[in-house]
Amino acid sequence: MAFLDMNFDDVVEPTVAPADSEYKLRIMDVKEGTNKNNEAYLMPRFEFCDGVGAKDFTKYLVLPAPSMDAKKLNNTKYALKTFMDAFGLEYASDPADWVGAEGWAILGVEENEQYGPQNFVKKFVQA
């Protein structure tokens, strides 16, 4: 038996979804870390619920910190709130429990020098 004795005729190259449309997304995992400014962040990775050939993508979300001025603090909290509301997540929940949650977003497309075209969230759509 050959090492790769399988049919590859049905394989499609992953692509981006067209911009300015609403898509149902599923959270695959959530990375937690600290950026170069010593700010904590979350980065959920999304897959399309109905897109076998669509590329996965991430959303960078900075977490609120006491060192932020009032405007940055409000914008940070607003971004988290709209994300969590779109996916029906409890505000006090553990990000590890978010895996599998589904929600809606309007997407855009941007060119990434390293990875080529990538989707990004223009706006989360509230459930």
Side-chain angles (χ1 to χ4, degrees), residues 2-117:
F3 175 68
L4 293 177
D5 187 17
M6 62 184 77
N7 181 352
F8 288 99
D9 293 340
D10 60 347
V11 174
V12 295
E13 179 180 357
T15 60
V16 296
D20 301 320
S21 293
E22 195 172 302
Y23 297 93
K24 187 173 186 182
L25 306 174
R26 181 179 305 110
I27 299 172
M28 297 173 55
D29 62 64
V30 182
K31 179 181 176 185
E32 298 181 55
T34 304
N35 66 20
K36 64 183 179 184
N37 298 321
N38 205 31
E39 297 170 324
Y41 70 85
L42 299 173
M43 193 161 46
R45 175 170 295 283
F46 303 105
E47 67 180 349
F48 291 82
C49 289
D50 301 324
V52 171
K55 289 182 180 181
D56 301 338
F57 66 98
T58 60
K59 172 72 175 164
Y60 180 78
L61 298 164
V62 177
L63 297 176
S67 61
M68 294 178 176
D69 63 36
K71 182 176 182 177
K72 185 171 183 178
L73 182 62
N74 183 71
N75 290 345
T76 299
K77 289 168 77 175
Y78 181 75
L80 282 168
K81 181 181 180 341
T82 58
F83 159 71
M84 295 182 80
D85 289 349
F87 283 84
L89 303 169
E90 295 292 326
Y91 298 145
S93 61
D94 184 332
D97 296 334
W98 299 352
V99 174
E102 296 179 354
W104 293 85
I106 297 171
L107 304 182
V109 176
E110 62 188 354
E111 189 65 33
N112 180 294
E113 193 173 300
Q114 185 174 1
Y115 300 109

